Amino acid sequence: MSVAKKFLYVNRKAPYGTIYALESLEVVLIGAAFDQNVSLAFLDDGVFQLAKGQDTKGLGVKNFSPTFRALGDYGVTKLYVEKESLAERGLTEDDLMPVTYEDENDGFAEKPSLIFVDRAELARVMRDQDVVLSF
Amino acid sequence: MKLSILVNEGPYTHQASDTAYQFTKAALEKGVEIFRVFFYNDGVNNGTRLTVPPQDDRNIQKNWSELGEKYKLDLVVCIAAAQRRGILDEGEAKRHGKGEGAANIAPGFRISGLGQLIEAGIEAERLVVFGD
């Protein structure tokens, strides 16, 4: 393992109807230990994974959304969110939970992890990766 | 060229594992090196020896096992995903008290952690994902 690779995890599914979102997050957490250059992308129904105020009590399913807010502690600080996917679902940036990280190169200043990009920009982000894992 | 393969869907329900198998076989026949085939999500169901498909249909699990044996493939089933779905090797069956004979991992497969998937991405020139 010489040079770190760029890993992108692409999240395309809503959080609780299928297991994809949870098992994607499990790979991200394990992968964080490998010191690679990791980012996440949320598009299609995947944007619902970041929705504010998730409450799964009635479902009997574990609410794993708080884990996204802990990603900064794992060195995962780039979460790309596709603007068109939000708009197509009647969502705005304000409907998403705040996700931040402490920038160790800037006096541990708290900075936003969510990066809102349009479809064309996200395509460029994807093209720039070494490894793309799609869930 | 050195590839790794990720299979994220179960056999028969979804074409992903068939396509992954055909792709892997074709790549190997062309002399491409396959660093690892990793099974995740419902893809772990490719690795149970207990599947009994109708005789006039393909046996996807057996296809993988035979391909694995022929080319000495590293067929790895994710442990966390496997435990959720009842895929166990001898060690895991014993550890979880599932009794004698509960192990159902298919020949040529092994159960290991998600780190093996990350390593597969790092070590190969391309990681090819087959899923929904």
Side-chain angles (χ1 to χ4, degrees):
Chain A
M1 285 196 269
S2 45
V3 182
K5 281 192 169 183
K6 290 182 180 171
F7 277 68
L8 178 70
Y9 296 87
V10 180
N11 299 289
R12 299 172 292 128
K13 312 273 171 108
Y16 304 106
T18 60
I19 200 169
Y20 297 105
L22 172 65
E23 288 196 331
S24 172
L25 193 53
E26 288 184 349
V27 185
V28 173
L29 296 176
I30 297 286
F34 282 74
D35 286 333
Q36 304 294 301
N37 188 342
V38 174
S39 44
L40 275 57
F42 297 84
L43 57 134
D44 299 346
D45 280 350
V47 294
F48 285 116
Q49 293 180 31
L50 297 172
K52 234 182 225 172
Q54 295 178 35
D55 180 359
T56 61
K57 278 193 205 81
L59 295 175
V61 175
K62 184 179 160 184
N63 178 0
F64 58 83
S65 65
T67 310
F68 289 115
R69 294 203 298 269
L71 285 177
D73 299 336
Y74 288 83
V76 178
T77 60
K78 294 184 296 263
L79 279 61
Y80 296 97
V81 182
E82 197 194 68
K83 290 176 182 172
E84 287 89 337
S85 293
L86 287 176
E88 284 160 8
R89 287 159 183 80
L91 297 171
T92 67
E93 297 182 10
D94 292 336
D95 292 312
L96 304 188
M97 58 186 168
V99 182
T100 58
Y101 71 101
E102 292 177 346
D103 188 349
E104 60 184 18
N105 299 317
D106 191 11
F108 293 94
E110 193 166 308
K111 297 184 176 178
S113 297
L114 300 187
I115 306 163
F116 295 92
V117 293
D118 64 29
R119 202 155 273 169
E121 287 175 273
L122 190 55
R124 281 193 288 276
V125 169
M126 288 181 177
R127 199 170 52 206
D128 192 38
Q129 303 297 317
D130 297 306
V131 181
V132 179
L133 294 123
S134 179
F135 292 100
Chain B
M1 176 62 89
K2 181 160 67 170
L3 300 179
S4 287
I5 308 291
L6 173 61
V7 184
N8 283 339
E9 293 294 335
Y12 305 104
T13 302
H14 199 290
Q15 72 160 61
S17 53
D18 282 297
T19 314
Y21 168 75
Q22 299 294 353
F23 178 91
T24 305
K25 183 166 171 279
L28 289 162
E29 285 166 356
K30 283 200 178 291
V32 172
E33 184 188 343
I34 303 291
F35 176 76
R36 178 170 294 145
V37 183
F38 194 87
F39 297 87
Y40 194 50
N41 296 143
D42 275 359
V44 299
N45 289 315
N46 284 277
T48 167
R49 65 177 176 83
L50 297 178
T51 51
V52 189
Q55 284 186 354
D56 60 354
D57 197 0
R58 70 226 187 276
N59 188 324
I60 299 175
Q61 173 270 305
K62 199 155 156 268
N63 283 347
W64 280 118
S65 288
E66 287 173 359
L67 195 68
E69 189 180 6
K70 184 172 177 187
Y71 290 99
K72 302 283 167 270
L73 281 181
D74 192 17
L75 305 174
V76 180
V77 171
C78 167
I79 186 164
Q83 286 182 343
R84 280 194 180 105
R85 295 167 177 85
I87 315 285
L88 301 169
D89 60 12
E90 290 288 347
E92 287 305 299
K94 200 171 173 187
R95 196 158 72 88
H96 297 284
K98 296 295 183 184
E100 194 87 2
N104 60 338
I105 188 84
F109 288 78
R110 65 187 178 94
I111 292 181
S112 191
L114 277 168
Q116 300 267 309
L117 169 58
I118 307 300
E119 189 194 36
I122 293 169
E123 293 298 326
E125 287 159 70
R126 290 279 188 282
L127 173 71
V128 187
V129 183
F130 294 87
D132 190 61

